[in-house]
Amino acid sequence: MHRLLYIGKFFKELFAFAKQNKAWWIVPMVLILLVLGSLIFTGQAVAPFIYTLF
């Protein structure tokens, strides 16, 4: 449970940083990394998704 608190605080600070510094390019990059990371973590086949990116 504590780990989720830290993750939530991290994303809250990340979005606050992006808003304050007008660095909105960070948000989609983090979201894509989260999606790919969750696919790898759950053991799904990531290869078809990665091949279409390159």
Side-chain angles (χ1 to χ4, degrees):
M1 187 67 182
H2 288 102
R3 189 175 293 172
L4 290 177
L5 268 172
Y6 292 128
I7 292 172
K9 286 181 184 180
F10 171 73
F11 286 118
K12 186 176 179 181
E13 287 185 23
L14 181 72
F15 288 125
F17 171 80
K19 184 177 179 182
Q20 182 179 4
N21 294 319
K22 294 181 177 57
W24 293 110
W25 55 271
I26 293 175
V27 175
M29 204 160 69
V30 169
L31 290 175
I32 289 171
L33 286 173
L34 282 173
V35 168
L36 286 176
S38 65
L39 285 174
I40 291 171
F41 182 73
T42 58
Q44 299 288 332
V46 182
F49 299 110
I50 292 177
Y51 290 141
T52 59
L53 293 176
F54 301 106

